[in-house]
Amino acid sequence: MQFNPRYPELDARLYHQQMPLPLKGAKAGHFNQPLAEQLQWSAEEQSDWVAICSGQKTFPEFPPLAMVYAGHQFGQWAGQLGDGRGLLIAQIVDRQGQTIDLHLKGAGLTPYSRMGDGRAVLRSVIREYLAGHALNALGVCSSNAVGFTSSTQGVQREKLEPGAMLLRTADCHIRLGHFEWINQYQPDLLSSFTQKCIEWHYPECLTAEQPILAFATQVIQRTAIMIAKWQLVGFAHGVMNTDNLNITGSTLDFGPYGFMERFRPDWINNHSDYNGRYTYQNQPGIAHWNLWNWLNNLIPLATDPAEKEQFKADLAHSLEQFEPTFLEHYRIGLCQKMGLPQFHTDSFDCGMAFLKILQSEQLDYTQNFIRLQQQEYDAIKDDCLDRHQFETFLTQYEQIRTHQDTDQLNTDMLSANPIYILRNHMLQKAIELAEQDDFSEVDRLFQLLSQPYVKQTMLEKPEDLAPLPSDVPEIVVSCSS
Ligand code: AMP
Ligand code: MG
């Protein structure tokens, strides 16, 4: 590994140095070797992966540390938070020269653990491991993981579960909530911290006329694009608190997330979200709220009172770009999924008409885009109670596609419509086996989800392709992890 330890350059008030506390009886779970190669792990480091991913081996080049941050949880100010069960154990350079954080989750108590035990259970570690991998392969910016380990040590949740650790990778662990913590508790750090964020993550903004404004604009843009991609693949994060969004617009902190099966815009996978704050359809609005909240934390950076009002207006103006950026990426993505030309005025409405059918007929989102792509129109119609609605849609759909370059549109559809997503019941099966030390299903899903757009007849199982029958009770997913 090639180390680039830059987080420790920050003021020591922003973190606490801490060694991981290994679990008893650590054992191999799964190793993401292609990612280790991308991160330039040597053969020796790769053969040591269980020790590294279980906190038994740390690196003299980087003193492990827990970061402090704050946040708004479910819309309420939650005060100081921080890495309560995770440690930044290294920052290393990948093959492309990008610095990547290695963050060990489940590594024991830190000063920020509050009421928690500093641990993670195997169930939630597998959920995070496979989701990060799936999103990366789907082309959605996201954290990922080099591997995870299980253990013989039990960790108490609603019941006693096997403890586990995950070695997460991300381009950035600086959350919107970092700025909230600084403003609330150590405001003198704001300027130097912001400067570092720009240097590390948005160096192109350093030479802009107004670097902070350029930085804010970039964060807004990347977040809008990330959310558009979530919506297009049907991903619901589940806990979009300000401490769970980072400043580079890459998906972070997988808890009670879900990939939507039957199309329900008001769907929520998180059974702890009683008010439905984080439903699928609310994600763009919540991201906007989080960014608005974050921009307020940049206002003190205008030191000259005469310029403050103008700076506030400029920040507000930059946030106005969120909605058009989101909509443009969503619109283009939906046209690609539909196989409709982006520049035709009726394409977006036709896409919406298809979504309306999926919603009213409670059809599977992923499966029916694949049927559309394969022109299995009768199969979709057969599943509809209101066949007239589908026929009206199909007439308009075929009309728009007439006289278009359908070869190109069909190619677009292939790369925009995944065959495989991570359905809750697929995860459930993999977790149940893993809890009996059988990681074969984790491995199968890992391989399958490596190429979600490619048919893998040898690997797939019929249940990977469709939701469970609607009379089977949904798998309950909560914040417990
Ligand atoms: P989350 O909603 O999972 O992102 O977690 C919110 C905060 O709670 C973060 O500061 C976590 O580090 C902390 N936390 C969650 N679970 C635990 C745990 N088992 N032990 C200690 N801290 C935890
Ligand atoms: Mg979190």
Side-chain angles (χ1 to χ4, degrees):
M1 290 182 217
Q2 185 188 328
F3 289 83
N4 181 19
R6 59 190 190 185
Y7 203 87
E9 288 170 21
L10 294 172
D11 189 283
R13 284 172 278 174
L14 286 161
Y15 58 88
H16 179 83
Q17 280 189 10
Q18 172 97 39
M19 294 304 277
L21 185 63
L23 290 159
K24 290 193 195 84
K27 48 192 168 181
H30 201 265
F31 181 51
N32 185 342
Q33 201 196 356
L35 183 57
E37 300 275 344
Q38 160 69 10
L39 294 170
Q40 311 195 76
W41 283 31
S42 66
E44 193 190 332
E45 285 155 351
Q46 289 190 35
S47 68
D48 266 358
W49 78 266
V50 174
I52 298 170
C53 296
S54 61
Q56 295 171 68
K57 182 175 171 179
T58 53
F59 310 103
E61 294 87 344
F62 195 103
L65 59 89
M67 306 177 194
V68 67
Y69 47 84
H72 277 81
Q73 299 187 318
F74 293 91
Q76 306 294 321
W77 172 242
Q80 175 168 303
L81 304 165
D83 289 334
R85 53 170 167 172
L87 298 169
L88 185 65
I89 64 159
Q91 292 185 293
I92 58 175
V93 181
D94 74 5
R95 276 182 179 158
Q96 272 71 46
Q98 193 184 12
T99 297
I100 299 290
D101 292 352
L102 298 186
H103 192 267
L104 188 64
K105 190 163 182 175
L109 291 172
T110 78
Y112 318 120
S113 299
R114 300 184 295 161
M115 310 297 281
D117 55 8
R119 295 303 190 190
V121 295
L122 184 58
R123 164 178 55 87
S124 67
V125 158
I126 291 175
R127 284 179 53 83
E128 176 152 0
Y129 184 71
L130 289 175
H133 177 60
L135 283 185
N136 272 282
L138 286 165
V140 183
C141 285
S142 172
S143 67
N144 205 342
V146 194
F148 72 86
T149 52
S150 179
S151 79
T152 54
Q153 191 171 328
V155 169
Q156 190 67 46
R157 294 292 177 260
E158 282 82 6
K159 56 179 189 180
L160 196 66
E161 301 187 41
M165 285 193 206
L166 174 88
L167 188 56
R168 173 163 79 187
T169 60
D171 62 345
C172 177
H173 276 86
I174 297 175
R175 299 144 193 274
L176 303 185
H178 270 76
F179 289 78
E180 296 180 272
W181 186 86
I182 288 173
N183 275 334
Q184 187 69 28
Y185 302 112
Q186 304 287 341
D188 63 296
L189 296 178
L190 184 63
S191 178
S192 57
F193 180 73
T194 306
Q195 180 68 21
K196 283 289 179 198
C197 289
I198 302 176
E199 273 173 31
W200 293 339
H201 298 292
Y202 294 92
E204 70 281 7
C205 295
L206 289 171
T207 50
E209 204 175 312
Q210 298 188 67
I212 297 166
L213 198 59
F215 162 58
T217 305
Q218 285 299 313
V219 174
I220 291 164
Q221 177 159 357
R222 285 212 213 164
T223 306
I225 294 172
M226 173 183 78
I227 303 286
K229 291 189 172 183
W230 286 4
Q231 303 305 98
L232 288 164
V233 298
F235 176 78
H237 181 282
V239 212
M240 290 177 66
N241 295 332
T242 57
D243 52 305
N244 289 339
L245 291 195
N246 73 5
I247 59 162
T248 58
S250 55
T251 314
L252 199 65
D253 278 18
F254 295 92
Y257 71 84
F259 284 85
M260 186 159 58
E261 299 187 66
R262 296 177 197 282
F263 188 66
R264 280 171 19 206
D266 62 351
W267 173 69
I268 178 98
N269 197 49
N270 180 0
H271 285 246
S272 315
D273 182 4
Y274 309 109
N275 297 318
R277 181 178 171 86
Y278 297 137
T279 56
Y280 169 80
Q281 68 192 356
N282 282 1
Q283 296 190 123
I286 291 291
H288 185 278
W289 188 88
N290 285 346
L291 289 167
W292 167 78
N293 183 73
W294 176 68
L295 290 174
N296 275 306
N297 287 282
L298 300 184
I299 294 170
L301 290 167
T303 40
D304 181 350
E307 284 169 14
K308 199 165 191 139
E309 286 312 308
Q310 183 58 45
F311 186 57
K312 271 164 96 167
D314 289 344
L315 289 175
H317 181 66
S318 66
L319 187 58
E320 282 168 18
Q321 292 308 306
F322 177 85
E323 190 178 334
T325 306
F326 164 75
L327 277 177
E328 186 58 0
H329 282 83
Y330 182 73
R331 188 186 67 78
I332 291 173
L334 186 62
C335 288
Q336 286 171 343
K337 285 177 79 66
M338 295 293 300
L340 291 173
Q342 287 167 31
F343 301 107
H344 195 293
T345 44
D346 294 334
S347 289
F348 187 70
D349 285 349
C350 185
M352 284 291 146
F354 186 63
L355 290 180
K356 195 160 164 254
I357 293 170
L358 298 187
Q359 182 181 359
S360 59
E361 301 288 348
Q362 287 293 285
L363 298 181
D364 187 74
Y365 181 73
T366 303
Q367 183 187 37
N368 284 285
F369 270 103
I370 290 291
R371 282 172 165 173
L372 193 68
Q373 177 210 309
Q374 294 175 345
Q375 303 185 3
E376 293 173 0
Y377 305 137
D378 286 343
I380 307 176
K381 192 164 78 176
D382 285 349
D383 277 352
C384 290
L385 290 173
D386 184 349
R387 294 180 172 206
H388 177 68
Q389 187 188 18
F390 182 76
E391 281 158 6
T392 310
F393 154 77
L394 191 59
T395 307
Q396 188 198 19
Y397 181 67
E398 291 190 316
Q399 240 165 32
I400 300 176
R401 280 169 55 96
T402 313
H403 308 306
Q404 302 287 341
D405 178 358
T406 40
D407 285 350
Q408 181 58 48
L409 293 173
N410 292 344
T411 310
D412 287 353
M413 281 182 105
L414 281 176
S415 55
N417 289 307
I419 301 165
Y420 310 109
I421 52 154
L422 185 54
R423 298 174 187 275
N424 269 339
H425 62 264
M426 294 157 73
L427 262 170
Q428 192 60 26
K429 177 90 182 295
I431 291 167
E432 280 167 17
L433 288 173
E435 286 176 345
Q436 293 154 32
D437 277 337
D438 176 353
F439 294 94
S440 59
E441 192 61 11
V442 171
D443 187 54
R444 187 186 73 84
L445 295 184
F446 182 88
Q447 304 301 337
L448 191 75
L449 296 166
S450 296
Q451 294 189 77
Y453 299 100
V454 179
K455 186 79 176 161
Q456 295 164 68
T457 323
M458 303 292 283
L459 262 183
E460 76 171 35
K461 292 184 178 172
E463 58 266 34
D464 300 333
L465 300 172
L468 294 176
S470 51
D471 55 350
V472 176
E474 269 187 44
I475 293 159
V476 175
V477 177
S478 72
C479 274
S480 157
S481 61

